[in-house]
Amino acid sequence: MNAVAHYTSAFAGSENGLPGSAVPWLVDKRRAAMAALASTGFPTTRDEAWRYTDVAQLLTVPFSPATSLATARAASLAESGGLTDAYRLVFVDGVYIAEASRLAGLPDGVVVTNLASALGSHSDRVRMAFGKLVDASRHGFAALNTAMASDGAFIAVPRGVRVEKPIEILSIASNQVQPVSTNLRNLVRVEANAEATVVEHYLGDGNAVSLTNSVTEASLAESACLAHVKIQREGQSAFHVATIACEQARNSRFYSCSAAAGGALARTEISSALLGEGADAQLFGAYVARGRQLVDHTTFLDHAVPQCTSNELYKGVLGDMSRGVFNGKVLVRKDAQKTAAFQSNRNVLLSDSAVVDTRPQLEIYADDVKCSHGATIGRLDDEALFYLRARGIERAAAQRILTQAFAGEVVHSIAHPAIRALVAGVVDDALNRALAGGVS
Amino acid sequence: MLVIKDLHARVDGKEILRGVNLTVKPGEVHAIMGPNAAGKSTLAKVLAGREEYEVTQGSVTLDGKSLLELAPEERAREGVFMSFQYPVEIPGVTNAYFMRSAVNAHRKHRGEPELDAGAFLKLARENMKLVAMDEKMLNRAVNEGFSGGERKRNEIFQMAMLAPKLAVLDETDSGLDIDALRIVASGVNALRSPDRALIVITHYQRLLDYLVPDITHVLLGGRIVKTAGKELALELEKRGYEWLQQGAQA
Ligand SMILES: Nc1ncnc2c1ncn2[C@@H]1O[C@H](COP(=O)(O)OP(=O)(O)OP(=O)(O)O)[C@@H](O)[C@H]1O
Ligand SMILES: [Mg+2]
């Protein structure tokens, strides 16, 4: 059975059990998404945006939603792996685990809940947000998520409120025998002058074959500020596709950092539409791969109005036979004068067999803009390595110091100390494992 | 202490060292002079273990132990220190983190416990005084944006931290202003001891006024063509190297 047929029948079988099965607009939306998937299918390497990321293998696996859950284990994993001082929503294989979640003490008016509950308690707001920024037409995975979303986070920060503690969305792929798929749909709304930090944290409990296919839609009102950190450290056999889309009103600030360390194939798509003057988007990413891992970051910044700024820095360290992919597109529309947009993708290859495909693209239709982009692919600096060793530092330690320093530029961009420390740990672990494969 | 015998080394298929012989005893200061491209830095790097230079012949021993089979880090921990002519920038790695890693690698090698942050800082402060280096340099990335003179001070600071048996100083004087030269040279002098040897590579007599060599060599065309006392440097200052070229070709 091909993938589309498989998911069509999986959808038919599980539709009635999905949240909102009695909510007509959502039922319609899910069915339309399934129809879109049936007609367009999943992306292939013939699609520009997927040229270097072949999902054919992923599509041969008959993933289906989990049927049984180890919830007690989830609670302990959340405690050991998650942030200590954060609000938290925990999902295991796409199912919300209230017992492991932690929502006490939220500031007045701030809503942090799971999507299934929000469909009841905040139905209008969910309806407005769901599918506004990512719809089924984007690609097969977005369509699949729309049809099959089992739950997700619903976060709303009211005007002028600053949420000090991070809000963590912890998704755990448990070690199931059957290949399990997780389709989380996260909706974030930050009102005018409000501020929040959201962490999407993907953990794997073991090395089972799994598929995480998440979609996050974030909407920032005037002068709102959202820091979004994604940590992806699922097991070596996990497939991971994440689509994060943001829209920004006047003077809003969107900071995004993606740390990718796990998975057999992990793609993170991040986009923001800068719709109000003075909006600023800062996108950072650090990825580390080894073995036959493929890590893809695909970004799109849409400068639609004048005087917006954006900056991107993605850095990768690739060992063994791994592959890194970066597609970064910046569109500066005709009216978007005085745009300043900078983009950089830098890669260090640890082995002769590692590969990077990087494609920075600037598409500029305005004439008074400052834009630049660049990409580098290199080796660890021999001179620097020798300098460290000449002072008595072991070769492997010197390699670690240099790669940590390289990725550190991205890690240090994270403002929140506890999140920064967590990401630093994830990146350092991944670097150690990648370096253990040897440097050639 | 250091015995170099008939050392030949090549890089990129080109032979740079063509039979160097040199013996350095504990406590001695040897100056190596010679024209540009003579192979002085190559000799220093071969001693430190830079892998791109291929040793094709000869031997190097430190206290009877052969160095050539050792990795650069092993040589460093055996007590070989090279002050680089062109110290590299290492963005993202602070001087403090770098030196603490280095000092602790040496301590581990000697079976001593690692220094904690406090003990390290104390030691670092003492040694920075030696070369009048600003403490702020500890928190800056290694050599990043350092002036030429600051880099050279940083090299001697590292030497002080690592307390080597043998230090090879490759043009430590170049890039230093007159005052800095005096400060750095007196720092190096303070590090002299009866069981530590120095090889000072320089183009100028001035450094040798402060760091008075026991023996002066001229390296030319990949060989040591002349060895004499400290007065040789003065003679070279006056006469240049041309009068020695003949001997080199012979
Ligand atoms: N990595 C290398 N690749 C190619 N040639 C090299 C390399 N290193 C050194 N050489 C060559 O070897 C020769 C000796 O260089 P070296 O740096 O040892 O000279 P030096 O005596 O230190 O000169 P200076 O006084 O200018 O510092 C030069 O011709 C140089 O170009
Ligand atoms: Mg030189």
Side-chain angles (χ1 to χ4, degrees), chain B residues 11-12 14 16 36-42 52-53 85 171 203:
Chain B
V11 64
D12 261 5
K14 188 171 120 193
I16 314 277
N36 293 134
K40 303 181 297 297
S41 294
T42 301
E52 67 179 332
Y53 298 91
Q85 182 175 0
E171 295 199 27
H203 286 293

Side-chain angles (χ1 to χ4, degrees), chain A residues 23 46 56-57 64 66 90 92 117 125 145 167 177 181 200 203 213 245 254 266-267 296 304 321 344 381 389 418:
Chain A
V23 178
R46 284 186 302 279
Q57 200 204 335
S64 49
V90 177
V92 175
S117 313
R125 288 157 87 177
N145 177 285
I167 301 161
V177 182
S181 61
E200 278 183 48
L203 276 174
N213 176 35
F254 176 51
R267 171 168 165 123
D296 173 336
M321 304 173 73
S344 166
D381 181 354
R389 296 176 71 195

Side-chain angles (χ1 to χ4, degrees), chain A residues 387 389 391-392 394-395, chain B residues 73 77 82 105-106 155 158:
Chain A
Y387 193 77
R389 296 176 71 195
R391 298 301 180 243
E394 207 60 52
R395 183 190 166 90
Chain B
E73 57 269 35
R77 297 188 304 238
M82 170 175 75
H106 284 249
E155 293 293 294
Q158 293 170 35

